[in-house]
Amino acid sequence: MSESFADRLFGALPSRRRLLGTVGIGAAGLTLGAAVPSAFAADAAPSAGGVRPWVPADDVPHARTWMSWPSRSSVWGRQLSGVQEDIALVARTIAEFEPVVMCAPDDYTARQARSWCGPNVEVTTSIGTDDLWMRDIAPVFRRDGYGGLDTAGLNFNGWGNKQTHAYDSQVAGAVARRQGLRITYADFVGEGGAIETDGDGTVMATESSLVNSNRNRGMSRDEVERAVLDAYGADKMIWLPGIRGKDITDDHVDVTSRFVRPGVVMVQLPPQDRTDEWAKDARQQFAILSAATDARGRRLQVIRVDGPDTTRSKSSTFVDSYLNFVLVNGGVITAQFGDRIKDDAARRTLAAAFPGREVVQLDVDRLMGGGGGVHCSTMHEPMP
């Protein structure tokens, strides 16, 4: 490459004046120093001893789940209290299965979080955050090749500088330091929700999210692919086209398509009468994955999940996804939408796909209305 990744990334950053004008944040919410991507932080470290770390699948035993307390009315406006109620419900539910650590930016919001979440959720102010989307801002936990863990930082930049991220861009390094884990920053900009892995050499993502100038200016698809495979310790990338510019994430894969286990994926399809962009995208993902093979040469088995009878057109940010579930120790936590037939069918499909796990469906419409769901708001930390 004629231009370094650092040059591209610094070059992609807008001026402070332009960023403030674009996302409507106050000067107190962002500093020039905080806008510098964490890829160039002093604690970045190479992988150890030449052994390639890899990201395991979500279904491994977990030590804990990381979450972040929504606290900014500048982000959520009048929806803040409803979103806080939903996040507290998610945290309390996960805490019935495994430990939960909730990050809060200050003492006031920490007291608020403790009041909403109850005594079974640990709340810490040691890691400041701007918003609740921990899947995208936390480090990706990896097996280090020596029986332990390390982490990868994905250089979060506010989904292409669409939202303030003065604190969120530092969360990956802060979590890794708190846990005493090595962190290596990837050679691309992205988010945890943008990439699905089977833990056996195969990853998948949408081009719209990663091969995008708002994150990886000047990088070709092949260059992004090599960087993702290196960070995840994987051998094969399955690309899905996705949709640019219609939501803040540029169409994260974890809303529509998920790995169940190596060789098996789930895809949520819309009702037949839906013809909007999201419906077309889902059908395209189903077709591509149905014809794909993984890193081991297996033809993928695709499990179909029928989406609820809601339409994303009712709200440009509403995520009507059963597949934005999170796996926890002994459980699967997902959403329900008041569509009894589709809700029950999704529950049965998830129960069959993950035998031995209890399926819990939550009413978190306020959270889903903000552009993400249960998976988006959590990051699991595997057992060492």
Side-chain angles (χ1 to χ4, degrees), residues 162-199:
K162 298 186 185 80
Q163 185 172 302
T164 178
H165 53 281
Y167 289 106
D168 284 351
S169 63
Q170 306 303 316
V171 167
V175 170
R177 286 190 295 271
R178 188 179 191 269
Q179 299 306 98
L181 298 174
R182 177 189 299 271
I183 184 163
T184 303
Y185 288 95
D187 286 337
F188 70 96
V189 174
E191 305 87 34
I195 302 165
E196 272 284 302
T197 181
D198 69 351

Side-chain angles (χ1 to χ4, degrees), residues 16 19-20 23 25-38 72 128-131 137 156-159 161 163-172:
R16 183 169 185 263
L19 180 56
L20 290 173
V23 300
I25 60 176
L30 182 65
T31 66
L32 283 172
V36 176
S38 56
R72 295 184 184 272
T129 58
D130 297 297
D131 206 351
I137 63 179
F156 179 75
N157 76 340
W159 305 281
N161 291 309
Q163 185 172 302
T164 178
H165 53 281
Y167 289 106
D168 284 351
S169 63
Q170 306 303 316
V171 167

Side-chain angles (χ1 to χ4, degrees), residues 61 63 143 147-149 381-384:
R143 299 293 183 202
L149 295 177
E381 178 183 337
M383 288 283 191

Side-chain angles (χ1 to χ4, degrees), residues 255 268-274 276 305-312 314 318-323 335-346 361 365 368:
V255 167
Q268 179 171 308
L269 290 176
Q272 289 185 348
D273 60 353
R274 275 187 54 182
D276 57 86
V305 176
D306 289 322
D309 287 326
T310 60
T311 61
R312 265 185 106 155
K314 291 180 179 178
F318 189 76
V319 176
D320 54 353
S321 173
Y322 296 117
L323 294 199
Q336 56 95 350
F337 299 97
D339 181 339
R340 183 179 59 82
I341 294 174
K342 296 290 183 64
D343 288 350
D344 287 349
Q361 292 181 299
D365 275 2
M368 308 297 274

Side-chain angles (χ1 to χ4, degrees), residues 7 56 62 68 111 116 134 141 169 187 191 201 214-215 223 231 273 287 315 334 382:
D7 289 338
H62 297 176
S68 173
R111 289 194 297 271
W116 281 86
M134 190 57 85
F141 292 89
S169 63
D187 286 337
E191 305 87 34
N214 64 21
R215 293 168 174 85
E223 289 169 338
D273 60 353
S315 167
T334 188

